[in-house]
Amino acid sequence: MNKTLISSVVVLVGMQFFEIFFHREAVSHYTKSLIFAYIFLIISVLILLNNKLIAYKEEIMRREKEAQYERLNLYTRQVEQMYQTVRGFKHDYKNMLISLEESIRTGNIDEVRFLFHEILIRANVALSEGENIDDLSYLENPALKSLLYHKLMEATRDGVEVVIEIKQEIRDVKMDLLDFVRLLSVLLDNAIEAAKMASRPRLTLAIVQDKGRHIVYVSNSKAEGLVPIHRIYQKDYSTKGSNRGTGLFNVQEIVERFNHVMLETEQTEDTFTQIVYIGG
């Protein structure tokens, strides 16, 4: 319901009340004027609050779009940097092969060994720089690409070993994009934070599309011990201290808005897993 429609409904209800109440002869003119002023004030406040709420929601969406745009730019710059790295490697690789051919022809075994290991070292550097984001190319939506890239780089910088499994084209996710991005953001933020507390920080993200249904799998290592799953979705509950505990509560609210979305939570002594089923 938009702002104009809500305002119209409030005004219409107020007018109907005036029409019924003001036809009563027993009510004095002063009383009618006073009640009119109060009701007019209440209607004005309601309309103002409604406008403020709509403006707040629009501001949230604007900020999220700006964040998505910035993450997309970051992702694009990183892909361009990877392209330049591989391009430079191909040039160096060609020159080293020419040198290797000459060393083999002259029988310089020490030079052959050196060039061979140099090629292997450079190849490993070139490939390892792109291994974390290769699978993101299967995501059709640039906002999802940029979000996952941002989270992946954040986890890697914090010393978390990241495994991504996206081996097929992912498109037409049957969720509002903003809700899907918010849901993934919370799950990944929690997974990264928990993984950093583990003896071996590790995060696994997999996205699968099967017969119109999407499955998102987020698993992380954690400190040993079990968390109370029946409580983690409650508002203000957190195992991480005060002023926390809204993330998973918001995730639960998002999931409940869609009758074709389901969330499962699993854990062992040292792993925590969230599985989201969308569609189907």
Side-chain angles (χ1 to χ4, degrees):
M1 186 176 292
N2 58 38
K3 178 170 59 177
T4 304
L5 181 56
I6 292 176
S7 301
S8 301
V9 170
V10 172
V11 172
L12 180 60
V13 171
M15 290 178 64
Q16 290 293 329
F17 178 83
F18 295 154
E19 184 177 351
I20 295 172
F21 183 80
F22 275 49
H23 279 82
R24 297 184 178 182
E25 298 179 356
V27 180
S28 68
H29 179 73
Y30 173 78
T31 303
K32 289 180 179 180
S33 300
L34 187 61
I35 293 176
F36 176 84
Y38 277 126
I39 293 177
F40 180 78
L41 179 61
I42 292 171
I43 292 175
S44 300
V45 170
L46 289 175
I47 293 175
L48 178 62
L49 290 176
N50 177 68
N51 293 346
K52 290 288 187 181
L53 179 61
I54 292 174
Y56 174 75
K57 290 182 177 179
E58 290 175 349
E59 177 65 15
I60 293 296
M61 293 185 66
R62 184 188 67 79
R63 291 182 182 180
E64 180 59 32
K65 287 180 180 179
E66 288 181 354
Q68 289 178 9
Y69 181 73
E70 179 59 30
R71 290 194 297 259
L72 181 58
N73 281 339
L74 183 63
Y75 173 77
T76 303
R77 290 195 298 269
Q78 181 65 19
V79 170
E80 177 64 22
Q81 183 179 347
M82 286 174 51
Y83 172 75
Q84 295 298 335
T85 299
V86 173
R87 186 178 180 183
F89 167 72
K90 288 172 63 178
H91 181 267
D92 293 344
Y93 179 73
K94 180 180 178 180
N95 290 335
M96 283 189 288
L97 283 180
I98 294 174
S99 299
L100 184 61
E101 180 183 20
E102 179 63 19
S103 298
I104 293 173
R105 189 183 65 81
T106 59
N108 190 339
I109 300 302
D110 290 337
E111 184 69 16
V112 169
R113 288 195 184 98
F114 172 78
L115 289 173
F116 177 72
H117 288 294
E118 185 73 8
I119 291 173
L120 289 181
I121 291 172
R122 288 176 179 252
N124 184 61
V125 170
L127 292 175
S128 64
E129 287 184 353
E131 64 185 1
N132 285 332
I133 65 173
D134 288 350
D135 284 4
L136 299 184
S137 62
Y138 289 107
L139 294 174
E140 180 186 46
N141 190 283
L144 293 181
K145 284 183 183 179
S146 60
L147 169 73
L148 296 184
Y149 171 76
H150 176 77
K151 299 299 181 184
L152 170 62
M153 291 297 102
E154 177 185 338
T156 303
R157 285 193 299 267
D158 289 339
V160 178
E161 178 187 354
V162 175
V163 177
I164 291 192
E165 293 290 339
I166 307 174
K167 302 302 183 184
Q168 60 191 129
E169 295 290 336
I170 303 297
R171 55 166 60 94
D172 301 326
V173 178
K174 294 180 175 61
M175 274 188 74
D176 177 80
L177 178 60
L178 184 57
D179 284 331
F180 189 45
V181 167
R182 287 177 60 206
L183 184 148
L184 273 180
S185 294
V186 173
L187 295 185
L188 290 173
D189 284 343
N190 285 357
I192 293 169
E193 188 169 359
K196 290 190 293 185
M197 305 298 293
S199 56
R200 181 191 175 188
R202 182 180 175 87
L203 167 67
T204 300
L205 168 67
I207 304 178
V208 178
Q209 181 169 330
D210 179 37
K211 298 179 181 178
R213 183 172 77 162
H214 294 84
I215 303 173
V216 180
Y217 176 93
V218 180
S219 183
N220 59 272
S221 57
K222 64 180 181 67
E224 291 189 1
L226 301 178
V227 299
I229 292 179
H230 66 285
R231 296 191 61 191
I232 60 176
Y233 295 101
Q234 296 175 4
K235 189 175 183 180
D236 298 327
Y237 175 81
S238 175
T239 59
K240 304 166 188 173
S242 58
N243 299 321
R244 307 293 295 274
T246 59
L248 288 179
F249 174 77
N250 291 336
V251 165
Q252 186 69 18
E253 283 193 322
I254 292 173
V255 170
E256 289 176 352
R257 285 206 296 268
F258 300 90
N259 56 18
H260 59 278
V261 178
M262 184 174 65
L263 174 65
E264 288 185 358
T265 304
E266 302 173 356
Q267 68 172 322
T268 65
E269 283 288 335
D270 55 4
T271 62
F272 190 83
T273 303
Q274 303 273 36
I275 308 173
V276 183
Y277 301 89
I278 306 170

